[in-house]
């Protein structure tokens, strides 16, 4: 027995690749049946929602880097490492709901504790949360960045075992702290944590088991090693040195040659201040990110949401405006947030696109995001797996 047939209509459609005029998306059982641009009447038994001639339909947005278990407070580390498992899981559920309301229907979670994101994914119905691609606790060195999340592994045997554990638990991506990070006392973002050979071992084991691999990398040396080790995506890509972020043309050429995804950390709400550790080198970082966009690298946006008050859950739409400020056209920013990000997180064809057979994750906007990318914050409706959630 089939479920209810929905016909969603708007004056404009962005299908994940191009903008079209006057389209109707037919949805049944959480899947897109058809996308019609001929103006044909929908089937008589369909429930029709017409958002109007000025409205836009587009695929749900995809945040390539979140932390659902982190509460976005001034002391998010204390909360996520507290002994209260139920409280952290409740935080993750609230974060997922806030993220979904903001139009983000798929996330890649790159750092939890106790694999709680898997519990959220498996325990909450699909229509009440984004699709979650989970990494579990990030792999890190003893006393290294985010060691308090429980992912410490050093040496070939321990690293292979860590990757196997994540595969066995149901993770789809392995996250490795290739450099230090500013949220961990005693950790230095400008220094690498693993040798290139260790990083390559992790990538090879992840790929052997069917998982993708993402590297947290701020230090220039760590970025170079992560790219050459074959990581599918490099998070942050800050290329930090004592003199600030630096542009290496040979590195960008290698990124483009390999097709490595560069997950830039973007998005703060208007009026929000950058964290002190970021603000100090922000000018050189902006220069670097502008060069990355201009290089033709496969760029996606991740918010790092949950780690601080400036990075609350649901902030992702503001990342698209920042992509345009870095040189992308609004249309390319939309592609980066949909079809591009879907490929980066392992959901190509199912997410980030409006076409028959894809999951029915959609947004309805009040105005044109192609004319003004800020329109992505003017959300009329959000659909997840064919269910209207906003």
């Amino acid at each position: 027995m089939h479920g209810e047939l929905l016909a969603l209509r708007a004056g404009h459609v962005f299908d994940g690749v191009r903008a079209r005029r006057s389209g109707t998306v037919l949805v049944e059982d959480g899947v897109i049946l058809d996308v019609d641009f001929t103006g044909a009447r929908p089937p008589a038994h369909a429930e029709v929602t017409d958002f109007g001639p000025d409205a836009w339909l587009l695929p749900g947005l995809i945040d390539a880097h979140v932390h659902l278990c982190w509460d976005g407070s001034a002391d998010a580390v204390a909360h996520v490492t507290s002994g209260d498992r139920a409280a952290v899981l409740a935080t993750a559920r609230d974060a997922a709901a806030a993220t979904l309301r903001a139009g983000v229907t798929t996330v890649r979670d790159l750092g939890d504790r106790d694999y709680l994101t898997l519990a959220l994914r498996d325990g909450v119905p699909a229509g009440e949360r984004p699709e979650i691609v989970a990494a579990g606790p990030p792999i890190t060195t003893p006393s290294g960045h985010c060691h308090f999340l429980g992912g410490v592994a050093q040496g070939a045997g321990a690293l292979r075992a860590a990757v196997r554990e994540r595969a066995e638990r149901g993770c789809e991506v392995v996250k490795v702290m290739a450099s230090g990070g500013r949220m961990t006392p005693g950790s230095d973002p400008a220094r690498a944590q693993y040798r290139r050979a260790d990083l390559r071992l992790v990538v090879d084991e992840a790929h052997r088991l069917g998982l993708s691999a993402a590297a947290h990398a701020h230090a220039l040396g760590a970025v170079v090693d992560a790219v050459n080790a074959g990581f599918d995506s490099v998070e942050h890509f800050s290329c930090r040195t004592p003199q600030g972020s630096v542009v290496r043309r040979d590195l960008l050429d290698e990124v483009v040659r390999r097709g490595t995804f560069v997950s830039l950390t973007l998005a703060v709400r208007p009026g929000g201040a950058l964290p002190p550790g970021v603000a100090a080198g922000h000018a050189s970082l902006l220069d670097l990110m502008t060069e990355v966009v201009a290089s033709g690298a496969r760029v996606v946006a991740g918010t790092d949401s949950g780690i601080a008050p400036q990075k609350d859950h649901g902030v992702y739409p503001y990342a698209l405006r920042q992509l345009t400020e870095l040189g992308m056209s609004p249309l390319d920013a939309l592609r980066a947030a949909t079809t591009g990000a879907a490929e980066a997180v392992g959901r190509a064809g199912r997410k980030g696109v409006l076409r028959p057979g894809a999951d029915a994750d959609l947004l309805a906007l009040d105005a044109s995001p192609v004319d003004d990318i800020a329109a992505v914050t003017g959300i009329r409706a959000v659909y997840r797996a064919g269910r209207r959630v906003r």
Side-chain angles (χ1 to χ4, degrees):
M1 180 176 178
H2 291 295
E4 184 178 45
L5 179 66
L6 305 179
L8 309 178
R9 179 183 292 160
H12 306 268
V13 175
F14 170 71
D15 64 7
V17 179
R18 59 182 174 148
R20 309 278 296 272
R21 290 188 63 84
S22 191
T24 301
V25 181
L26 294 179
V27 172
E28 187 176 54
D29 294 331
V31 176
I32 295 174
L33 294 184
D34 191 24
V35 184
D36 179 74
F37 297 102
T38 68
R41 294 174 63 86
H45 64 286
E47 179 183 323
V48 179
T49 301
D50 191 335
F51 291 101
D54 297 328
W56 282 68
L57 288 173
L58 63 155
L61 306 176
I62 300 171
D63 191 335
H65 190 140
V66 304
H67 298 284
L68 295 175
C69 289
W70 299 55
D71 69 353
S73 68
D75 199 354
V77 171
H79 175 74
V80 77
T81 57
S82 73
D84 192 339
R85 178 186 172 96
V88 176
L89 190 55
T91 290
R93 187 164 189 155
D94 290 344
T99 299
L100 190 57
R101 288 194 300 271
V104 176
T105 55
T106 300
V107 298
R108 185 172 58 165
D109 189 288
L110 291 181
D112 65 14
R113 75 161 244 227
D114 299 336
Y115 297 92
L116 286 174
T117 307
L118 296 179
L120 175 72
R121 183 193 70 186
D122 298 339
V124 176
E128 299 176 18
R129 55 162 176 79
E131 175 99 350
I132 298 171
V133 179
I139 297 173
T140 191
T141 54
S143 301
H145 184 40
C146 288
H147 64 90
F148 43 76
L149 295 176
V152 171
Q154 186 85 57
L159 289 169
R160 287 194 184 93
V163 176
R164 287 198 299 271
E165 178 181 359
R166 282 149 183 78
E168 289 164 1
R169 285 179 176 268
C171 295
E172 297 174 79
V173 56
V174 172
K175 163 83 172 295
V176 181
M177 298 302 197
S179 79
R182 65 177 182 82
M183 298 191 69
T184 304
S187 176
D188 184 356
R191 296 190 65 178
Q193 292 198 154
Y194 286 106
R195 298 174 304 140
R196 185 181 299 182
D198 292 326
L199 297 177
R200 185 172 289 118
L201 180 153
V202 170
V203 170
D204 289 347
E205 187 70 2
H207 289 172
R208 186 182 73 81
L209 296 172
L211 280 64
S212 61
H216 157 108
H218 287 298
L220 176 60
V223 173
V224 171
D225 285 347
V227 170
N228 285 288
F231 276 86
D232 301 289
S233 72
V234 178
E235 309 302 305
H236 313 303
F237 204 88
S238 309
C239 297
R240 286 183 60 164
T241 71
Q243 291 73 43
S245 296
V246 300
V247 178
R248 280 258 306 264
R249 177 55 53 186
D250 62 321
L251 174 60
L252 292 181
D253 289 345
E254 184 66 8
V255 166
V256 172
R257 187 188 73 79
R258 287 176 174 268
T260 307
F261 281 99
V262 177
S263 177
L264 298 180
T265 306
L266 302 171
V268 293
R269 291 190 186 276
L274 292 168
V278 175
H282 193 55
S284 63
L285 181 58
L286 283 178
D287 289 342
L288 168 69
M289 291 193 291
T290 301
E291 290 287 339
V292 171
V293 169
S295 74
R298 299 205 285 179
V299 172
V300 296
T303 59
D304 227 0
S305 63
I307 66 167
Q310 305 90 343
K311 291 285 187 181
D312 60 314
H313 297 288
V315 76
Y316 181 83
Y318 298 102
L320 274 69
R321 184 179 66 184
Q322 288 181 272
L323 285 174
T324 64
E325 291 169 351
L326 294 171
M328 280 193 185
S329 68
L331 199 57
D332 282 340
L334 289 170
R335 291 175 182 132
T338 53
T339 45
E343 186 174 356
V345 307
R347 291 293 187 273
R350 269 189 54 202
K351 303 293 184 182
V353 67
L354 302 183
R355 72 180 187 193
D359 291 350
D361 296 350
L362 301 94
L363 301 186
L365 303 180
D366 290 323
S368 169
V370 175
D371 293 332
D372 182 0
I373 197 65
V376 295
T377 62
I379 297 173
R380 179 89 62 86
V382 178
Y383 290 83
R384 168 77 173 100
R387 174 176 178 265
R388 187 166 179 170
V389 297
R390 171 175 170 179

